[in-house]
Amino acid sequence: MKIKVSLAKKLKKRPKDESKLGFGDIFTDHMFAMDYAVGKGWTNPRIVPYRPLRIDPAAMVLHYGQEVFEGLKAYRGKDSGIYLFRARDNFVRLNRSAARLCMPEVEIEVAMDALKKLVLLDKKWVPRTQGTSLYIRPNMIAVEPHLGVRPAKTYLFYIIVGPVGAYYKEGLNPVRIYVEDNYVRAALGGLGNAKTLANYAASLLAAEEAKQKGFTQVLWLDAVQRKFVEEVGTMNMFFVIGDEVITAPLGGTILPGITRDSVIRMVKDWGMKVSERFLSIEEVIASAQDGRLKEAFGTGTAAVISPVGQIAYKGRDYVVAGGKMGDLSQKLYNEIVGIQYAEKPDPYGWREKIG
Ligand SMILES: *Cc1c(COP(=O)(O)O)cnc(C)c1O
């Protein structure tokens, strides 16, 4: 498919001070879009100036929530080159999410081509300061104007990109997390393993209440017993208990994170024991109390590794790893970031230089 390019007539001002970049507020000059209709497939792939969408007020996404998205980054290497990290895996996951929401799949090669052309066209926007990157947000929505619950017949797929700084205000300092034993994020058989808007809408109230109590993140427990740890808002969770590195299994209620997968591969290669198993919050607390809980950290594209310094459960606070970033967290962060920014060798073939 040939992508038609219409250039922006007037370019926006790019942020001058990269150290002040936040997350998710600034977007570049262009965006990619294409349309889908049942019977026709995907048509009209185009790069156009970044601008508001025109959709019908009856567009089905606005009423019944058919939407799936992805989040990945382009990195500016030391050599000034521009790199992607496991980008194909994001589109594979997008298609899995889409299937769960009765939405059409995109062709991976078409999506990759679109992504690369867009990033390279707006390449000046890929920031240079350490820790910054160009965040990439592919999104698919149901646009058919129709009231009545069924899968839509028309969709829009688009990609927007924008420069971002460090995800957490605290930087790499350990965060405080609140174990949520009231609200749930996702139940087995639901949408928990799809990257779709409903999961985030479901999480907002718990996150707001936790924030008021001074916590950065909510740690979700399983929806049935409120017993087993699942994941935090936008990150998978790992716990290092004794010499075992533990993360929740991909049973359907958690998002199959690409960073999670990278961490499992690396930690196994380093000869450590990795278990994808159910882990009860009682075991986490007991091991925090008797000193066997060495580290806890979240994993996700935005933050890469986010160490946890404190866990609050049922009104009590438990300190993890002395409230400091653990050795494994630090090593994983260094290795993954080193691969992403082309500062270290990439034995896994995860990095792709695109320009
Ligand atoms: C995106 C996301 C993650 C992390 O996935 P990565 O591919 O590692 O970025 C984890 N949990 C949830 C709920 C997410 O939305």
Side-chain angles (χ1 to χ4, degrees):
M1 279 212 280
K2 180 130 177 45
I3 300 172
K4 199 180 149 208
V5 179
S6 327
L7 296 178
K9 292 212 174 65
K10 209 174 153 241
L11 298 184
K12 300 178 191 170
K13 271 211 183 84
R14 278 183 277 121
K16 278 205 195 81
D17 186 354
E18 292 186 351
S19 72
K20 293 213 171 66
L21 281 175
F23 188 91
D25 298 315
I26 302 171
F27 301 96
T28 65
D29 293 308
H30 298 92
M31 61 193 279
F32 171 82
M34 62 181 174
D35 308 309
Y36 181 91
V38 168
K40 283 192 191 153
W42 290 104
T43 56
N44 194 19
R46 58 201 182 269
I47 286 174
V48 292
Y50 185 98
R51 61 185 169 213
L53 301 175
R54 288 187 58 181
I55 56 171
D56 196 284
M60 290 176 84
V61 63
L62 302 176
H63 302 269
Y64 311 116
Q66 262 187 309
E67 183 264 10
V68 293
F69 69 96
E70 270 304 325
L72 65 159
K73 287 173 169 178
Y75 307 88
R76 173 87 62 181
K78 246 202 199 131
D79 59 354
S80 249
I82 295 178
Y83 295 87
L84 298 176
F85 181 77
R86 304 189 66 174
R88 232 173 220 90
D89 293 343
N90 287 92
F91 290 116
V92 170
R93 185 171 66 190
L94 181 84
N95 282 344
R96 273 199 227 112
S97 300
R100 178 64 183 82
L101 276 288
C102 300
M103 298 171 78
E105 297 190 349
V106 296
E107 246 180 73
I108 308 275
E109 290 318 312
V110 171
M112 285 296 294
D113 184 42
L115 171 65
K116 289 177 194 173
K117 289 212 164 86
L118 176 63
V119 170
L120 291 182
L121 179 63
D122 283 345
K123 146 179 182 175
K124 285 205 175 92
W125 288 83
V126 185
R128 292 170 183 275
T129 311
Q130 197 171 24
T132 64
S133 56
L134 188 76
Y135 188 74
I136 301 165
R137 170 56 55 89
N139 202 19
M140 194 199 297
I141 58 175
V143 291
E144 184 194 351
H146 173 74
L147 299 186
V149 180
R150 59 156 171 79
K153 295 190 175 99
T154 57
Y155 297 88
L156 175 72
F157 172 75
Y158 64 89
I159 305 175
I160 53 177
V161 300
V164 297
Y167 191 67
Y168 290 98
K169 279 197 218 83
E170 292 104 316
L172 259 179
N173 294 330
V175 296
R176 301 175 69 206
I177 58 172
Y178 179 81
V179 181
E180 181 57 64
D181 56 359
N182 176 31
Y183 302 113
V184 298
R185 175 185 174 272
L188 195 56
L191 300 175
N193 57 357
K195 220 168 167 80
T196 182
L197 47 69
N199 290 326
Y200 307 88
S203 75
L204 293 177
L205 185 56
E208 281 303 296
E209 291 182 6
K211 212 192 221 167
Q212 275 165 17
K213 295 177 194 135
F215 296 92
T216 331
Q217 292 279 341
V218 166
L219 174 61
W220 298 103
L221 301 177
D222 77 279
V224 179
Q225 302 181 66
R226 312 280 198 282
K227 179 179 164 91
F228 298 109
V229 297
E230 298 223 312
E231 61 177 324
V232 296
T234 55
M235 292 189 292
N236 297 110
M237 274 303 299
F238 286 78
F239 297 86
V240 186
I241 300 181
D243 56 8
E244 186 187 12
V245 182
I246 308 160
T247 193
L250 298 179
T253 57
I254 66 167
L255 212 279
I258 292 163
T259 320
R260 172 189 181 278
D261 184 73
S262 304
V263 163
I264 292 173
R265 291 266 305 267
M266 293 177 123
V267 171
K268 274 188 186 156
D269 277 4
W270 297 339
M272 298 175 74
K273 181 183 175 200
V274 185
S275 309
E276 294 175 66
R277 68 162 172 91
F278 294 109
L279 172 64
S280 70
I281 186 66
E282 284 85 16
E283 189 180 343
V284 172
I285 299 302
S287 65
Q289 284 175 316
D290 69 18
R292 281 177 308 125
L293 178 62
K294 290 190 194 142
E295 296 183 38
F297 56 89
T299 66
T301 295
V304 189
I305 302 289
S306 180
V308 171
Q310 208 182 76
I311 298 176
Y313 180 55
K314 293 202 185 291
R316 283 193 61 184
D317 285 341
Y318 303 89
V319 174
V320 183
K324 295 199 187 68
M325 186 166 191
D327 293 342
L328 182 64
S329 307
Q330 186 70 59
K331 187 173 174 195
L332 281 164
Y333 181 84
N334 293 349
E335 287 301 317
I336 295 173
V337 168
I339 293 174
Q340 289 170 336
Y341 288 85
E343 285 163 3
K344 292 196 177 211
D346 172 26
Y348 305 97
W350 286 337
R351 177 168 73 212
E352 183 182 357
K353 185 170 189 177
I354 62 166

